[in-house]
Amino acid sequence: MNVESRREGENLVLITDGRVDGTNATDFQDAMKQAIQASDTAVVLDFENLTYISSAGLRVVLLVAKDLQRQGAKFAACSLSSTVKEVFVISGFDKIIPVHDTQEAAIGSFG
Amino acid sequence: MAQPFKILVVDDEPDLEPLMLQRMRRHIRAGEYDFVFAHNGIEALERLQQEDDIDMVISDINMPQMDGLTLLEQIPKVDPNIRSVIISAYGDMKNIRTAMNRGAFDFVTKPLDFDDLRITIERTVSHLVEWRDALSSRDKLVVLQNELDVASKMQQSILPTLFPAGPDYRYFASMEPARNVGGDFYDTLRLDEGRIGLAIADVSGKGVPAALFMMSSRTQLKGAAIGNHYPGAVLREVNQLLCQDNDTMMFVTLVYVVYDPASGEITFANGGHNQPLIRHTDGSSTLLPLTGGIALGVAPDIDYDQETVTLAPGEALVLYTDGVTEAMNSADEEFGLERLCEVLTATSSDDPREVNQAIFDGVRAFAGGTPQSDDITCLTLCRSRGS
């Protein structure tokens, strides 16, 4: 698992690759916390290269979403692989975290 | 301040004692080291037995009564955590090798170079500090592991083990816990008018937090389900309770089913859990539809929809957790839904215990030697063929 952060104009794009499960969920959380600044107003979680996410990983995504909500930032996830998308759909988290097919669509949704 | 580091010096030369005290006086005054003396191996052993706070032994090799090499062998019997440094004649490789092989931590040579001795003592001290930290971490770990084992046993002990059959239905549930304390659970409830309530759930993460959240989820579910025939309303209530003060964003995925034996109807609501399967009489299986619910504990004030389907005579309802579908083999492949359906096709039994067993056997055969990383849980309800 690795989290790479990029700034595209006003937007912070966080690209996660590999697997996120119980063994590295804390690392995942730390990496996210480190990448996101209190001044960020729009964050995209790009999951194109995320191959697997367990419930422990989903919990971290929810925590990040909650923090961003608290600081008034817009956020969305994008480019989910079919396995990860399935996890989002079954758990119902696609109703809490906006999911888009591409990074452009996610950024576009911020208006 | 910490206790001074206590060093036992063993040498038959009477000159060494005043010399050592003189050369090490600054360390002694600073409270870093405390020196005690013995003049042969026997005397040294007696001191070690009397004083259990000696950390280190510095010993000469050639001494009357008991020599240093024999003493080296005896020290671990008194206390295996004492470290020994041997004083040997310069170039006496044979004795140095013997001493090292007998467990000496280091050696210094005669004539004593006190700067070198000081470094050797410092090195021994820092090694011992690390060694003791490691020992204490290990002890703490053992305590924690024991507590986890107790938690795991408590978790399993609350799962129902009696599954009273009805005139035309039977149900059975079992869980194969992973080594870590996991968060799966199931529950079965007798509701009024002959209905039964069946639940399967999976709490996010593992370990003690998951166990605590699981206990709380199960209690809330039981409370909400008694006297309520509407699974959607039950999930709404449980979700509402779990969302209170849930800063840690733990969540539980849960399917709750109410079965009415009079009509064969299954009414269910799914809160973010794997879709249950229905095995038909021709051996094929279909997934129950998702009812659009979100995992519980995350978003308050949401409604949970429910749906109703009829379980035909001879059909089976299979609830399971992702420990089944995400079980891995050595090639990093998942067991998956397709294999689960194949297992159900292959077993025509209408005994829910046998259906469960077939699933567990199928998963075990698939995983081979790959260790189980998640709880594996199944709950099966079979409606008799003749009804």
Side-chain angles (χ1 to χ4, degrees):
Chain A
M1 187 275 304
N2 191 39
V3 178
E4 189 195 321
S5 79
R6 254 186 238 159
R7 298 209 173 257
E8 310 259 343
E10 304 259 283
N11 306 294
L12 173 67
V13 179
L14 298 173
I15 305 165
T16 308
D17 63 19
R19 285 174 62 90
V20 177
D21 56 26
T23 62
N24 62 10
T26 316
D27 300 336
F28 179 51
Q29 187 172 357
D30 292 345
M32 287 275 168
K33 264 196 184 150
Q34 208 158 37
I36 297 168
Q37 307 296 314
S39 54
D40 279 314
T41 56
V43 178
V44 177
L45 308 176
D46 187 324
F47 289 148
E48 186 175 1
N49 300 318
L50 180 69
T51 52
Y52 173 85
I53 187 159
S54 77
S55 61
L58 283 178
R59 192 185 139 250
V60 174
V61 174
L62 290 173
L63 280 167
V64 169
K66 200 177 185 182
D67 283 348
L68 289 172
Q69 223 159 18
R70 212 172 278 151
Q71 71 186 55
K74 296 168 189 154
F75 64 93
C78 73
S79 318
L80 279 59
S81 69
S82 59
T83 20
V84 172
K85 187 157 194 169
E86 198 184 296
V87 172
F88 269 73
V89 171
I90 290 178
S91 62
F93 290 159
D94 58 335
K95 297 183 187 70
I96 301 174
I97 294 150
V99 173
H100 298 275
D101 288 342
T102 62
Q103 213 185 89
E104 292 71 32
I107 291 174
S109 75
F110 296 153
Chain B
M1 210 190 108
Q3 287 268 323
F5 192 75
K6 195 164 178 181
I7 303 165
L8 172 64
V9 180
V10 193
D11 199 325
D12 57 339
E13 278 178 48
D15 298 349
L16 185 65
E17 181 169 342
L19 187 62
M20 188 74 84
L21 292 173
Q22 200 262 331
R23 301 300 290 263
M24 295 290 178
R25 64 187 183 283
R26 256 185 291 143
H27 299 280
I28 296 166
R29 241 181 272 140
E32 292 166 12
Y33 305 146
D34 181 12
F35 287 92
V36 289
F37 297 86
H39 302 98
N40 60 59
I42 303 254
E43 216 184 297
L45 273 181
E46 279 168 7
R47 276 212 92 128
L48 286 172
Q49 270 149 0
Q50 283 157 13
E51 299 170 41
D52 60 2
D53 58 346
I54 292 171
D55 303 289
M56 176 181 176
V57 173
I58 300 174
S59 175
D60 191 16
I61 292 181
N62 294 318
M63 292 177 294
Q65 294 190 47
M66 185 193 282
D67 68 15
L69 295 176
T70 312
L71 174 64
L72 262 182
E73 284 185 317
Q74 299 299 317
I75 289 173
K77 293 176 191 163
V78 181
D79 180 351
N81 295 320
I82 292 173
R83 291 293 173 268
S84 309
V85 168
I86 219 77
I87 306 168
S88 87
Y90 182 82
D92 184 4
M93 269 329 267
K94 190 165 170 284
N95 274 331
I96 290 172
R97 282 311 314 155
T98 306
M100 297 307 277
N101 288 340
R102 290 187 182 180
F105 179 71
D106 204 345
F107 67 92
V108 289
T109 53
K110 279 182 184 170
L112 273 180
D113 170 348
F114 279 88
D115 287 330
D116 181 46
L117 182 64
R118 216 170 269 128
I119 293 167
T120 305
I121 294 174
E122 274 167 25
R123 212 172 69 81
T124 312
V125 170
S126 71
H127 161 82
L128 263 174
V129 167
E130 272 175 38
W131 172 257
R132 284 170 187 163
D133 277 354
L135 283 183
S136 117
S137 303
R138 190 196 60 180
D139 291 348
K140 282 181 195 147
L141 208 63
V142 169
V143 171
L144 267 179
Q145 192 57 52
N146 289 342
E147 285 175 1
L148 277 174
D149 289 346
V150 174
S152 173
K153 282 197 190 97
M154 276 175 71
Q155 255 190 319
Q156 284 165 61
S157 67
I158 61 157
L159 298 174
T161 48
L162 292 174
F163 308 99
D168 63 351
Y169 69 87
R170 284 184 285 179
Y171 60 99
F172 182 79
S174 50
M175 169 168 122
E176 200 138 295
R179 232 191 118 260
N180 305 328
V181 182
D184 280 12
F185 73 92
Y186 60 81
D187 210 350
T188 59
L189 304 151
R190 298 175 74 92
L191 306 172
D192 54 10
E193 293 170 41
R195 292 183 177 93
I196 53 168
L198 304 170
I200 194 156
D202 185 358
V203 169
S204 58
K206 291 187 180 65
V208 173
L212 288 172
F213 201 76
M214 173 245 171
M215 289 286 193
S216 147
S217 306
R218 178 185 166 271
T219 311
Q220 310 290 17
L221 176 69
K222 239 187 171 67
I226 299 294
N228 193 335
H229 294 164
Y230 300 98
V234 170
L235 291 205
R236 190 183 203 288
E237 190 179 332
V238 175
N239 179 55
Q240 210 59 14
L241 292 163
L242 291 179
C243 281
Q244 287 172 11
D245 309 315
N246 185 15
D247 290 336
T248 57
M249 280 285 157
M250 297 286 290
F251 61 85
V252 58
T253 70
L254 198 160
V255 177
Y256 181 55
V257 178
V258 172
Y259 176 62
D260 183 357
S263 61
E265 277 179 354
I266 291 169
T267 305
F268 64 96
N270 187 335
H273 195 82
N274 298 65
Q275 292 159 270
L277 282 161
I278 292 207
R279 189 199 61 191
H280 305 292
T281 47
D282 66 355
S284 67
S285 301
T286 46
L287 288 168
L288 285 184
L290 284 172
T291 52
I294 300 173
L296 287 75
V298 176
D301 305 320
I302 51 167
D303 287 326
Y304 284 84
D305 291 337
Q306 63 185 40
E307 291 205 30
T308 302
V309 298
T310 301
L311 194 66
E315 287 189 328
L317 168 72
V318 179
L319 312 180
Y320 56 92
T321 58
D322 59 8
V324 174
T325 46
E326 290 179 8
M328 295 282 215
N329 67 6
S330 58
D332 269 357
E333 293 164 328
E334 285 185 358
F335 185 68
L337 199 56
E338 229 169 276
R339 285 190 187 85
L340 177 56
C341 291
E342 282 166 19
V343 168
L344 292 179
T345 304
T347 167
S348 55
S349 170
D350 67 348
D351 179 346
R353 183 187 291 266
E354 285 176 17
V355 175
N356 262 29
Q357 194 56 50
I359 295 169
F360 283 112
D361 289 347
V363 169
R364 208 173 293 123
F366 172 79
T370 308
Q372 181 190 339
S373 64
D374 202 357
D375 296 344
I376 298 175
T377 309
C378 280
L379 193 165
T380 303
L381 165 73
C382 292
R383 190 175 176 196
S384 306
R385 290 200 179 99
S387 57

